[in-house]
Structure formats: structure tokens, C-alpha cells
């Protein structure tokens, strides 16, 4: 055997390095031992913080609702003191608010209160500016009187104008998605789903594309589930949406519930009618376009066209006559 010469200093260095490495690994293992309950405790702490945040948010929401109710009660007391709060007006305001997508009962009191306080604030401000600060001083007394009267009327009709505009936009959005909703209802009816399940499915499928229609269908599905009279749910849908097409759909639903007629065939006919109506409405807008474009054509396009065509000739005639 051949003897191997190993340097004792090199061997000692290697052994010392191995010992130091083992010591570091042991220290790391000892200091990083994880408690099996640490992750669970951390998750519980996070859940506790989430619940605390939820309780705080609900408390704030409850306080906000209490403050809103107090404000509503104050407005109701003011209206009752002036004897202008009538049940008929309150019901009409609630129906208009539901058609606009606002389902808070307190908002009806706010609308009636706005009708009362709007003319006072807006009309009083304009009257003070016209007669006290000298606004419209260069105009005669009739113009200033008309300005004050117009401000008073605007303050009274401003809530109605806002509600009417909101109802029109919402009705147009619902009308746009109604044929697709009826097609989905036909598919759900042919698949064997019940009416409330079909409304739930259509609301879920069309909620992103047509949120207003999905909201109304979801609410109708909920009412179909807990109301004893299913006809009342369809009547509520017709009341919440100011559309003749929705009234036709609800009438069809009521008839199928009452007489047991096939739902899919009736909805298919309604869907075809609504699509034809939408096409006719688009054709009507296209047919009105030439009449609408007549005034801009006469006022803006024809004068520029005459200047471009006759301008060079007029300039040439003017130069020739000036030279002669």
C-alpha cells in the first residue's frame, strides 16, 4: 500500500469548517422551529380584525341610518305643520322613485320637502340678487319679474325634472335588454325551470350587461318566492318599470299562471314583437335624420359651400373691375 501524506493543517481546517457549518445549521433549526398552532392563531387574529372592522362599519352604517331617519322625521314634521304632506302625493312620489331605481321610502318625503323648499331658496336668492344687488339692472321690470318667476318655477319642478330624466334613462336601458331577457326566459322555460328560477337565472346572466333589468328581474324572483299571490309580484314589476313592453310581459305571465297556457310560445311571440319594435324604432330615427339635418345644412354647410364656390369668382370680378 502506498502511504498517503495528508497535511494536518489542511485536515484541521476542513474539520473546523464542517463543525462551524453544522453548528450554524443546528442554530437555524433551533431558532426557526414553527409552532403548529401559530398559523391557526394568526388566522384567528386576522378573522377577529375583520369582524371588528365589520362591526365598526355596521355601527357607522347604523348611525348613518339613524341620522337619516332623524332628518326624515324633521322634514316630515315640517311638512305636517304646513299641512302639505298628503298620502296621495307620498304614494305618487314613491312610485316615481321606484321607477327611477330609488327604493328608499324616506326619499319620497325628501322629494316633497324639496318641492316646498326649492322655490323659497332658489326664488328668494334670485329675487334678492335682482332687486337687492342690482342683477339685470340694465333690463326693464318685466324681464326681472320673469327671471324671479322662472327661478321659483324651476325650484318647484327641479325634483320632478330630475326624476323624469332618471326614469327615461332607466326605461331606455331596460327596453334595450328586454328581447334578450325574453329569449333567455324562453330557454329556461323549455329547460323545465320554474318561473321564479327562470327569473333568477336571467337576472344572473344579464346582470352585467343590463344591470337595471337584472336588478328588476332579481327583485321579481324574490317576490315570487315569498309572496302568497304570485300575480302581485308581476304587478309590482309593471309598477316599478314605466314601459308598455313590461306591462305586456307581466300580463302574459299572469295569464299563463291563471290559465296554464304554454309560457315558452307566448314569450317567443313577445320577443319577436319587441325585436321588430326595436328595429322599427331604429328605422324611424334613421328616417327622421334628413329632416333633422336640414337646419344645420342651411345654417352652416350651405353658406360655406357658396363661399368656396363663388368666392374665387367674386374676387376675380372685383380685381378686374378695380383694374379698369
Amino acid at each position: 500500500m502506498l502511504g498517503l501524506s495528508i497535511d494536518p493543517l489542511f485536515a484541521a481546517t476542513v474539520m473546523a469548517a464542517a463543525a462551524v457549518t453544522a453548528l450554524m445549521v443546528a442554530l437555524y433549526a433551533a431558532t426557526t422551529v414553527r409552532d403548529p398552532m401559530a398559523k391557526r392563531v394568526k388566522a384567528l387574529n386576522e378573522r377577529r380584525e375583520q369582524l371588528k372592522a365589520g362591526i365598526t362599519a355596521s355601527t357607522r352604517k347604523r348611525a348613518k341610518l339613524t341620522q337619516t331617519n332623524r332628518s326624515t322625521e324633521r322634514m316630515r314634521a315640517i311638512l305636517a305643520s304646513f299641512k302639505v304632506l298628503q298620502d296621495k302625493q307620498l304614494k305618487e312620489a314613491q312610485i316615481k322613485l321606484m321607477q327611477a331605481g330609488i327604493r328608499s321610502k324616506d326619499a319620497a318625503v325628501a322629494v316633497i320637502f324639496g318641492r316646498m323648499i326649492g322655490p323659497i331658496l332658489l326664488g328668494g336668492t334670485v329675487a334678492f340678487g335682482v332687486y337687492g344687488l342690482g342683477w339685470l339692472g340694465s333690463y326693464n321690470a318685466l324681464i326681472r319679474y320673469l327671471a324671479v318667476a322662472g327661478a321659483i318655477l324651476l325650484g318647484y319642478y327641479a325634483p320632478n325634472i330630475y326624476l323624469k330624466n332618471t326614469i327615461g334613462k332607466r326605461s331606455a336601458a331596460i327596453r334595450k335588454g328586454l328581447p334578450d331577457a325574453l329569449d333567455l326566459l324562453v330557454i329556461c322555460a323549455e329547460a323545465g325551470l320554474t318561473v321564479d328560477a327562470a327569473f333568477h337565472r336571467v337576472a344572473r346572466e344579464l346582470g352585467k350587461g343590463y344591470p337595471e333589468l337584472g336588478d328588476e328581474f332579481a327583485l321579481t324572483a324574490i317576490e315570487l318566492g315569498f309572496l302568497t299571490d304570485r300575480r302581485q309580484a308581476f304587478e309590482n314589476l309593471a309598477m316599478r318599470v314605466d314601459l308598455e313592453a313590461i306591462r305586456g310581459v307581466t300580463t302574459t305571465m299572469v295569464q299563463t299562471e291563471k290559465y296554464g297556457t304554454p309560457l315558452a310560445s307566448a314569450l317567443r311571440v313577445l320577443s319577436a314583437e319587441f325585436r321588430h319594435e326595436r328595429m322599427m324604432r331604429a328605422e324611424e330615427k334613421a328616417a327622421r335624420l334628413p329632416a333633422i339635418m336640414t337646419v344645420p345644412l342651411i345654417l352652416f354647410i350651405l353658406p360655406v359651400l357658396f363661399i368656396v364656390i363663388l368666392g374665387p369668382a367674386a374676387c376675380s370680378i372685383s380685381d378686374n373691375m378695380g383694374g379698369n
Side-chain angles (χ1 to χ4, degrees):
M1 292 180 63
L2 298 176
L4 296 178
S5 60
I6 299 176
D7 189 1
L9 182 61
F10 177 74
T13 304
V14 172
M15 293 176 66
V20 171
T21 302
L23 179 62
M24 293 179 64
V25 171
L27 290 175
Y28 176 78
T31 55
T32 58
V33 174
R34 296 183 179 180
D35 188 2
M37 294 297 295
K39 187 175 181 180
R40 179 63 178 169
V41 171
K42 184 179 179 181
L44 290 175
N45 290 331
E46 291 178 355
R47 180 60 179 169
R48 187 180 296 112
E49 294 296 329
Q50 292 176 0
L51 290 175
K52 188 183 297 183
I55 292 172
T56 305
S58 63
T59 305
R60 292 177 180 175
K61 186 176 181 181
R62 195 179 300 113
K64 185 177 180 181
L65 289 175
T66 304
Q67 185 178 2
T68 303
N69 291 332
R70 290 177 180 175
S71 302
T72 305
E73 291 300 327
R74 291 174 184 173
M75 290 187 290
R76 190 186 297 272
I78 294 173
L79 293 173
S81 63
F82 286 98
K83 297 181 179 180
V84 295
L85 186 61
Q86 300 177 1
D87 293 338
K88 183 179 180 181
Q89 292 182 350
L90 193 62
K91 187 175 180 180
E92 291 178 355
Q94 288 177 355
I95 292 175
K96 292 294 183 182
L97 287 169
M98 284 191 296
Q99 292 176 355
I102 304 171
R103 296 189 175 90
S104 176
K105 294 183 178 179
D106 298 335
V109 180
V111 169
I112 298 175
F113 184 77
R115 292 176 185 172
M116 186 188 73
I117 202 68
I120 299 174
L121 292 178
L122 188 58
T125 302
V126 175
F128 177 74
V130 170
Y131 294 106
L133 300 179
W135 296 353
L136 304 177
S138 59
Y139 295 92
N140 55 16
L142 179 61
I143 299 298
R144 288 180 288 177
Y145 172 77
L146 291 177
V148 176
I152 294 174
L153 291 176
L154 180 61
Y156 179 79
Y157 287 106
N160 294 335
I161 293 173
Y162 172 75
L163 286 178
K164 187 176 181 180
N165 188 22
T166 307
I167 291 171
K169 291 181 180 179
R170 194 166 187 271
S171 300
I174 292 175
R175 185 190 295 113
K176 188 181 298 183
L178 189 57
D180 298 335
L182 291 182
D183 289 339
L184 285 178
L185 281 177
V186 169
I187 295 173
C188 293
E190 291 178 346
L193 294 179
T194 59
V195 177
D196 49 351
F199 270 85
H200 267 299
R201 187 59 182 267
V202 173
R204 187 170 67 249
E205 294 293 334
L206 295 182
K208 295 182 179 180
Y210 306 100
E212 296 85 1
L213 184 60
D215 188 15
E216 293 296 337
F217 271 38
L219 184 57
T220 304
I222 294 172
E223 290 182 348
L224 285 171
F226 73 86
L227 287 179
T228 56
D229 188 7
R230 297 169 66 88
R231 179 177 180 178
Q232 186 64 37
F234 297 119
E235 291 178 355
N236 292 338
L237 175 61
M239 182 182 62
R240 291 193 306 268
V241 182
D242 188 18
L243 277 179
E244 191 65 30
I246 290 292
R247 296 187 185 94
V249 173
T250 55
T251 302
T252 302
M253 290 292 182
V254 170
Q255 289 178 354
T256 55
E257 288 283 337
K258 185 176 181 180
Y259 300 108
T261 56
L263 179 61
S265 59
L267 291 178
R268 189 178 291 108
V269 172
L270 282 177
S271 177
E273 290 180 358
F274 292 156
R275 290 185 184 279
H276 181 65
E277 181 183 356
R278 186 168 62 180
M279 183 64 66
M280 290 182 61
R281 193 179 298 111
E283 292 177 353
E284 181 183 356
K285 289 183 178 179
R288 281 173 20 209
L289 188 61
I292 296 173
M293 289 296 296
T294 302
V295 176
L297 179 66
I298 295 174
L299 294 179
F300 302 107
I301 299 176
L302 288 181
V304 176
L305 185 63
F306 289 153
I307 292 173
V308 171
I309 294 175
L310 301 179
C315 292
S316 177
I317 293 172
S318 177
D319 292 339
N320 293 330
M321 293 180 65
N324 292 331

